[in-house]
Amino acid sequence: MNPRRSIRVSGGTVAGFWFRRRTLVAAIAALLLLPVETGHAGWLSDVFKRTTKQGVSPKHAGRPGRTAKVKPAVKPAHQATRLAALGPMALGPVGSKPAAGKCNPATFRIVLDVGHTAQSEGAISARNVAEFAYNLRLARGIEEKLKAAGFAETRLLLTEGKARASLVRRVASANNANADLFLSIHHDSVPDKLLEDWEFEGKKSHFSDRFSGYSVFVSRSNPDFRTSLAFAELVGKEMKAQGLDYAKQYTLPIMGRYRHPLLNEETGVYSYDELVVLRKTRMPAVLLEAGSIINRDEELKMDSLERRNIISSGVAAAVRTFCEPRWALLGPL
Ligand SMILES: [Zn+2]
């Protein structure tokens, strides 16, 4: 068992992806305008280049102060097993962008943004597993379901480096890939002040069983907010249809600076206007907090294949509905 397989995707293959129909001059010009590494950072990340360094990672760069706890010097054995099981990245055939207003599953470009990076892993779960590992595994499950549903142009967006810089790279990658839909995958935690202490596998750890559930975020500053909201509501409806409850704490005063307006109390869609990946992307963009990994009970569920299948199938169903002909005819809400 080698839990630290390093997967690197060739730049040439990725550079051709979704750019084939652009002129060479335009492609070169676009790459020159990108920040350093942007031209290859997104799709070319050395996904499993993990370290055992001690460090504190922000949960989300857009949520200052919402920091993760120090991660363990040695990864728990069960985490290593999970990472080894994730398997290599795979790139599908090159597609073309569908005509405006139409959605052909075979050519519809979906970016699945894996929240956080191997260097800045996001939240730390109640059992000391990094959020990044949860995000990556779930995103791969969603990718699999979408491709099985005919969405061949679904791509994982993996980014390297520190949190805030990675946000800029994510946006640049999605924009330059001319994606049709952007979905960022995360797992939830709580503000530090709500954390409680417990011991897991002999190590002092932190948890909060107070809140649980998924939540869906959009930015009212996204240039296509209405379509973003429409897709977010489809995702929320699918989660609800699976019997899942959404996280209600974001409206509570106890959340302080992390409070967000609830846009739909049926589906659990909140606005998170300032979040870079939702605001700066030039296509409909949604962030899914799939569930809480700081809640001890929910972490076990999020770690199960059953729950991953439920969420992955729900997202795929939402995308299918989003892409149905009637949506193309009616356009954004
Ligand atoms: Zn996150």
Side-chain angles (χ1 to χ4, degrees):
M1 181 170 62
N2 178 9
R4 295 193 185 177
R5 296 171 62 184
S6 291
I7 310 299
R8 188 172 291 279
V9 182
S10 74
T13 302
V14 174
F17 167 60
W18 287 352
F19 288 92
R20 185 153 294 180
R21 294 196 175 186
R22 297 182 173 192
T23 65
L24 180 61
V25 171
I28 293 173
L31 289 172
L32 289 174
L33 290 171
L34 297 177
V36 175
E37 295 183 8
T38 300
H40 61 274
W43 317 106
L44 304 181
S45 297
D46 192 354
V47 181
F48 302 127
K49 193 169 69 179
R50 301 169 61 85
T51 67
T52 55
K53 69 183 188 305
Q54 296 270 341
V56 177
S57 305
K59 159 69 176 145
H60 291 134
R63 298 180 181 182
R66 191 180 187 185
T67 55
K69 291 299 178 184
V70 175
K71 62 184 179 181
V74 178
K75 297 291 180 188
H78 59 278
Q79 182 186 356
T81 302
R82 291 170 184 159
L83 289 170
L86 288 169
M89 288 181 66
L91 290 174
V94 173
S96 60
K97 180 161 177 69
K102 295 183 179 178
C103 177
N104 177 356
T107 56
F108 191 67
R109 299 170 180 174
I110 303 167
V111 167
L112 293 176
D113 173 44
V114 179
H116 308 282
T117 71
Q119 295 79 29
S120 180
E121 298 179 308
I124 299 298
S125 79
R127 294 171 179 79
N128 305 306
V129 177
E131 181 194 346
F132 177 71
Y134 274 97
N135 295 342
L136 180 55
R137 190 172 53 174
L138 178 59
R140 291 186 69 86
I142 295 171
E143 177 192 29
E144 189 176 305
K145 296 284 186 187
L146 284 170
K147 287 187 171 176
F151 291 90
E153 294 303 309
T154 301
R155 296 292 183 272
L156 291 191
L157 175 52
L158 290 152
T159 317
E160 293 182 324
K162 294 182 178 178
R164 187 166 294 277
S166 84
L167 296 181
V168 176
R169 292 188 186 118
R170 291 168 207 274
V171 169
S173 293
N175 287 344
N176 284 286
N178 210 13
D180 296 301
L181 184 64
F182 180 95
L183 177 61
S184 189
I185 304 300
H186 288 257
H187 287 73
D188 216 352
S189 184
V190 295
D192 289 353
K193 66 181 179 182
L194 299 179
L195 293 174
E196 300 174 58
D197 296 335
W198 75 313
E199 191 171 288
F200 177 71
E201 293 183 343
K203 174 181 166 50
K204 182 181 178 183
S205 306
H206 304 279
F207 75 97
S208 173
D209 294 339
R210 188 167 176 176
F211 305 117
S212 62
Y214 74 89
S215 45
V216 192
F217 293 91
V218 292
S219 171
R220 289 173 290 194
S221 298
N222 179 282
D224 199 350
F225 162 65
R226 294 178 72 84
T227 310
S228 301
L229 178 62
F231 178 62
E233 295 197 337
L234 288 174
V235 172
K237 284 177 184 171
E238 290 293 339
M239 297 297 118
K240 186 177 179 182
Q242 295 289 346
L244 303 179
D245 294 320
Y246 73 85
K248 307 211 171 37
Q249 69 269 23
Y250 284 106
T251 60
L252 301 178
I254 196 172
M255 296 300 284
R257 71 178 105 174
Y258 308 117
R259 289 176 80 182
H260 295 290
L262 182 61
L263 301 182
N264 188 325
E265 62 180 16
E266 291 296 318
T267 54
V269 176
Y270 291 88
S271 70
Y272 192 165
D273 296 333
E274 66 274 23
L275 191 63
V276 172
V277 296
L278 299 181
R279 179 166 58 91
K280 294 290 189 180
T281 37
R282 295 197 297 263
M283 71 290 303
V286 168
L287 185 146
L288 173 63
E289 294 276 6
S292 174
I293 54 173
I294 201 69
N295 179 307
R296 292 176 293 185
D297 180 55
E298 187 153 84
E299 183 188 10
L300 295 178
K301 293 174 181 171
M302 301 311 295
D303 190 39
S304 70
L305 178 61
E306 178 185 14
R307 178 61 63 90
R308 283 200 304 282
N309 280 337
I310 285 174
I311 294 173
S312 301
S313 298
V315 170
V319 174
R320 279 200 303 272
T321 304
F322 187 73
C323 197
E324 283 176 357
R326 63 185 175 85
W327 279 73
L329 290 171
L330 295 173
L333 295 177

